């Protein structure tokens, strides 16, 4: 714990700036529709979108968990950078199509797109509901991380419950007022702050530990003293090639709802391609923080909690102002990935569940989505975060495992016209059950990620059941694939008309 | 309606698809197994260097893809 108040003031200063930017993001616009509050009027330019997606994908994990992985496992931590880069490839391919679906068919949520493609509000609502479990668990974890940082930066003067209230209160105010525009601008600010903080902390720590300006001295020492940390399966022997490979595949195929909303907030399809192209360059933010974890292997050999290594090292060896900057950067990482999840859950509950269930008008649905933010935060996220449940990580893993199991729904949007409602349901249900069993009962059999086992059952069943059940109406499939595969769609139509005329 | 699986319809499309798939393969087993040595290059572990080469590769392939898309839309 720190005794100086400087780190606390720097951290509180960051919160004040984020609040100011979030409130200003509204810019006099009326937030009475989901087009505006939910997807920022589909107006975001390439730089904002780049920082929005980049900062959204960099959570408190980068500042706490990733150095912790480096500290306990070693180079295994780099799988995160690889899958984040592959997610950029996925964004490049799918993002422009999702944007076009939204623009032409009026979708503002992932659930709405699924309901439309499969002509099933039930499927859309079900997907939204189960996706929200992972999303809420993720938001809770980031809130706990934020409150922990505030507690450490204040030297224990701000208890965790007060930190939770402060962080959620600030996010609630600017999210309610400015919606997706607040997420865009605050993430842009947080994204730049994280990059500056990570490199300053990483280079300073390396210089303090080795007397050099680069990272070479850190790894030279590890190569001679602890070489196991430079290879797989890593320092603790748990990251096999199978787990590395399947973790990357499962993670890159997870289409989380906030990412969907971010794609739909772009000004054009071209904007998404340009942002996605530059997205991998942002992930140099991970390297310096990971180096702090590697330094900790020899500098702090007896830590109880690996994920506190960066903070502990900073508190023991870095100046107060840099500890404060690290606090602000970690808080920025936690808030920038917490707020899109809260926003997307509010929209999903209003648009994908309440609207079809109670036949609400568009205007009422938009009002409901904004107002739902408050009970979601006050009745779900805050109490769970304050109680810090021990099985939260398990809920998160199951939730994220489910995110991958929705893959058949997306294959039917982008790649395969024959995908049917029942095929998707069968795939999701079977994949989710397998993932659940292989997470809770028999974790990751044969060292293969539970979500990958789920996909191995999910995908074949999806194909078989789709072929055995009626396809979705032709006009619906045609309008989706006119966007997903314009050339194919025309060819298929002409083939169909030729064969029809022959009959 | 005649159902289909979407696949590339031009040489350029196939090349891009192969580049995307190739990049993904570079980050997985068995390729990652060949680089699994406790050695350093430019002061960083081999796996770290390889990771950032993949990052660079993703950026370059998408840059090339954008150029090709732009050129093909001009041709249209």
């Amino acid at each position: 714990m720190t005794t100086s108040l400087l780190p606390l003031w720097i951290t509180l200063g960051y919160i004040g700036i984020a609040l100011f930017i979030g409130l200003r993001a509204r810019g006099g616009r009326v937030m009475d529709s989901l087009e505006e509050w939910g997807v920022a009027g589909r107006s975001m330019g390439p730089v904002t979108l780049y920082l929005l997606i980049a900062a959204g994908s960099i959570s408190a994990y980068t500042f706490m968990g990733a150095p912790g992985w480096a500290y306990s496992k070693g180079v295994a931590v780099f799988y995160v950078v690889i899958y984040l880069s592959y997610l950029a490839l996925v964004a490049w391919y799918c993002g422009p199509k999702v944007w076009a679906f939204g623009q032409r068919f009026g979708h503002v949520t992932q659930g709405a797109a699924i309901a439309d493609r499969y002509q099933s509000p039930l499927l859309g609502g079900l997907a939204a509901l189960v996706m929200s479990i992972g999303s809420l668990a993720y938001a809770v974890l980031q809130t706990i991380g934020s409150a922990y940082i505030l507690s450490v930066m204040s030297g224990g003067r701000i208890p965790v419950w007060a930190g939770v209230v402060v962080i959620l209160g600030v996010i609630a105010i600017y999210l309610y007022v400015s919606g997706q525009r607040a997420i865009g601008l605050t993430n842009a600010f947080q994204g730049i702050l994280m990059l500056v903080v990570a490199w300053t902390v990483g280079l300073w720590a390396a210089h303090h530990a080795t007397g050099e300006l680069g990272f070479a001295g850190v790894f030279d020492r590890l190569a001679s003293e602890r070489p196991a940390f430079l290879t797989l399966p890593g320092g603790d022997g748990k990251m096999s090639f199978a787990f590395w490979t399947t973790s990357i595949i499962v993670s890159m195929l997870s289409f989380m709802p906030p990412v969907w909303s971010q794609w739909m907030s772009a000004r054009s399809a071209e904007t998404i391609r340009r942002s996605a192209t530059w997205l991998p360059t942002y992930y140099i933010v991970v390297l310096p923080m990971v180096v702090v974890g590697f330094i900790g292997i020899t500098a702090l050999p007896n830590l109880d909690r690996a994920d506190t290594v960066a903070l502990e090292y900073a508190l023991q060896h870095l100046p107060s102002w840099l500890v404060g900057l690290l606090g602000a950067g970690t808080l920025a990482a936690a808030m920038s990935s917490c707020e899109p999840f809260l926003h997307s859950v509010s929209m999903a509950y209003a648009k994908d569940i309440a609207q079809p269930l109670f036949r609400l008008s568009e205007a009422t649905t938009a009002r409901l989505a904004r107002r739902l933010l408050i009970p979601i935060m006050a009745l779900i996220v805050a109490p769970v975060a304050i109680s810090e449940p021990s099985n939260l990580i398990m809920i998160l893993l199951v939730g994220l495992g489910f995110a991958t199991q929705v893959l058949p729904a997306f294959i039917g949007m982008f790649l395969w016209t024959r995908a049917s409602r029942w095929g998707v349901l069968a795939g999701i249900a079977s994949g989710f059950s397998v993932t659940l069993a292989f997470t809770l009962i028999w974790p990751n059999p044969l060292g293969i990620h539970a979500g990958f086992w789920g996909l191995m059952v999910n995908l074949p069943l999806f194909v078989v059941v789709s072929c055995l059940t009626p396809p979705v109406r032709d006009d619906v499939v045609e309008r989706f694939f006119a966007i997903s595969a314009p050339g194919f769609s025309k060819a298929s139509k002409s083939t169909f008309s030729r064969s029809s005329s022959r009959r | 309606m005649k159902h289909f699986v979407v696949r590339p319809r031009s040489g350029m499309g196939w090349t891009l698809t192969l580049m995307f798939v190739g990049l993904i393969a570079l980050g997985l087993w068995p390729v990652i197994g060949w680089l699994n040595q406790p050695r350093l290059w430019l002061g960083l572990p081999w796996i770290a260097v390889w990771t950032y080469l993949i990052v660079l590769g993703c950026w370059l392939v998408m840059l090339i893809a954008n150029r090709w898309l732009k050129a093909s839309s001009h041709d249209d």
Side-chain angles (χ1 to χ4, degrees):
Chain A
M1 287 284 174
T2 177
T3 49
S4 164
L5 280 177
L6 185 61
L8 177 64
W9 284 116
I10 292 174
T11 310
L12 291 178
Y14 151 75
I15 295 175
I17 295 171
L19 180 61
F20 175 76
I21 291 174
L23 289 173
R24 294 276 297 174
R26 177 171 178 160
R29 293 175 189 84
V30 180
M31 293 283 163
D32 61 355
S33 70
L34 282 181
E35 276 286 318
E36 191 53 67
W37 187 79
V39 291
R42 305 185 201 276
S43 65
M44 286 189 179
V47 178
T48 311
L49 193 70
Y50 166 83
L51 288 166
L52 168 67
I53 302 176
S57 59
I58 295 293
S59 64
Y61 176 82
T62 303
F63 284 79
M64 294 172 74
W69 264 55
Y71 177 82
S72 59
K73 298 177 195 296
V75 290
V77 68
F78 287 106
Y79 97 92
V80 175
V81 180
I82 294 182
Y83 93 68
L84 285 173
S85 299
Y86 292 167
L87 276 178
L89 297 179
V90 173
W92 188 92
Y93 182 79
C94 299
K97 296 171 174 41
V98 169
W99 179 86
F101 294 155
Q103 209 236 2
R104 287 193 207 169
F105 311 144
H107 308 152
V108 288
T109 60
Q110 189 182 61
I114 293 174
D116 186 17
R117 166 63 179 87
Y118 298 98
Q119 294 295 290
S120 169
L122 176 70
L123 187 57
L126 195 68
L129 188 66
V130 189
M131 279 282 200
S132 74
I133 298 171
S135 298
L136 286 171
Y138 194 86
V140 169
L141 269 181
Q142 301 305 319
T143 307
I144 293 173
S146 304
Y148 172 74
I149 292 297
L150 269 183
S151 173
V152 173
M153 292 298 128
S154 67
R157 294 176 189 94
I158 300 179
V160 167
W161 69 265
V164 167
V165 172
V166 169
I167 296 299
L168 288 180
V170 167
I171 293 178
I173 291 170
Y174 65 65
L175 264 190
Y176 183 84
V177 171
S178 311
Q180 182 76 338
R181 286 183 191 277
I183 299 176
L185 283 190
T186 53
N187 273 25
F189 163 62
Q190 288 154 342
I192 293 166
L193 180 71
M194 283 188 267
L195 204 54
V196 172
V197 169
W199 276 93
T200 310
V201 169
L203 287 172
W204 196 294
H207 183 258
H208 186 274
T210 65
E212 294 175 9
L213 269 179
F215 302 142
V218 177
F219 293 109
D220 277 338
R221 185 170 177 191
L222 278 179
S224 59
E225 293 178 16
R226 312 289 292 275
F229 283 85
L230 302 184
T231 54
L232 302 179
D236 61 3
K238 290 182 180 168
M239 190 62 147
S240 63
F241 291 132
F243 200 69
W244 166 286
T245 300
T246 51
S247 298
I248 289 174
I249 292 172
V250 166
S251 305
M252 68 175 273
L253 295 176
S254 302
F255 290 75
M256 294 304 285
V259 177
W260 203 270
S261 307
Q262 288 161 3
W263 292 342
M264 286 196 288
S265 305
R267 188 183 296 155
S268 66
E270 174 62 20
T271 304
I272 301 176
R273 276 196 207 97
R274 284 168 66 189
S275 305
T277 301
W278 287 87
L279 207 49
T281 62
Y282 188 81
Y283 301 130
I284 56 166
V285 72
V286 180
L287 180 62
M289 290 312 301
V290 160
V291 168
V292 180
F294 281 111
I295 293 171
I297 295 170
T298 48
L300 304 164
N302 300 315
L303 276 182
D304 289 336
R305 277 182 59 190
D307 62 359
T308 60
V309 62
L311 268 174
E312 279 297 329
Y313 189 83
L315 287 167
Q316 291 184 25
H317 299 288
L318 303 187
S320 292
W321 64 270
L322 202 47
V323 174
L325 269 186
L326 179 62
T330 312
L331 206 52
M335 286 169 70
S336 65
S337 42
C338 179
E339 57 201 43
F341 279 93
L342 293 171
H343 178 254
S344 76
V345 169
S346 278
M347 283 212 298
Y349 283 177
K351 179 75 186 169
D352 304 327
I353 298 171
Q355 189 180 33
L357 208 58
F358 304 113
R359 300 180 188 283
L360 303 178
S361 68
E362 288 297 327
T364 310
T365 308
R367 271 199 302 277
L368 181 66
R370 281 179 87 188
R371 288 174 186 170
L372 271 176
L373 265 180
I374 313 300
I376 287 171
M377 287 186 183
L379 302 176
I380 303 174
V381 180
V384 179
I386 290 168
S387 68
E388 296 185 62
S390 57
N391 55 356
L392 189 65
I393 294 282
M394 202 51 80
I395 300 170
L396 180 70
L397 286 176
V398 173
L400 295 182
F402 180 82
T404 310
Q405 304 312 318
V406 190
L407 185 63
F410 307 122
I411 290 176
M413 279 185 206
F414 304 123
L415 296 172
W416 190 37
T417 55
R418 185 62 179 81
S420 79
R421 174 188 319 165
W422 293 108
V424 171
L425 264 173
I428 290 176
S430 61
F432 185 56
S433 308
V434 171
T435 307
L436 197 66
F438 286 175
T439 302
L440 299 180
I441 302 165
W442 185 15
N444 308 313
L446 305 177
I448 291 172
H449 195 288
F452 193 81
W453 284 111
L455 282 182
M456 286 200 282
V457 176
N458 173 340
L459 294 178
L461 203 62
F462 154 63
V463 172
V464 171
V465 175
S466 286
C467 290
L468 295 175
T469 51
V472 179
R473 276 191 349 245
D474 284 358
D475 61 311
V476 175
V477 178
E478 276 165 10
R479 75 181 155 83
F480 268 83
F481 280 81
I483 291 168
S484 291
F488 263 101
S489 191
K490 279 177 207 159
S492 145
K493 246 180 162 175
S494 55
T495 309
F496 177 69
S497 4
R498 271 202 307 273
S499 57
S500 305
S501 58
R502 272 184 211 133
R503 268 186 246 127
Chain B
M1 177 184 181
K2 188 175 187 292
H3 289 283
F4 58 86
V5 176
V6 176
R7 54 191 185 279
R9 285 170 57 85
S10 64
M12 185 190 82
W14 276 110
T15 309
L16 270 181
T17 306
L18 289 176
M19 284 164 91
F20 272 46
V21 172
L23 265 175
I24 292 168
L26 290 179
L28 309 177
W29 181 86
V31 179
I32 212 70
W34 302 333
L35 294 147
N36 195 36
Q37 307 281 334
R39 292 187 195 160
L40 306 180
W41 193 61
L42 298 172
L44 292 173
W46 274 21
I47 286 184
V49 175
W50 190 247
T51 297
Y52 282 96
L53 283 175
I54 289 172
V55 167
L56 189 70
C58 289
W59 172 63
L60 284 173
V61 165
M62 286 187 279
L63 269 184
I64 294 167
N66 289 341
R67 296 225 159 186
W68 282 357
L69 274 185
K70 209 171 182 179
S72 66
S73 67
H74 281 307
D75 291 345
D76 293 343

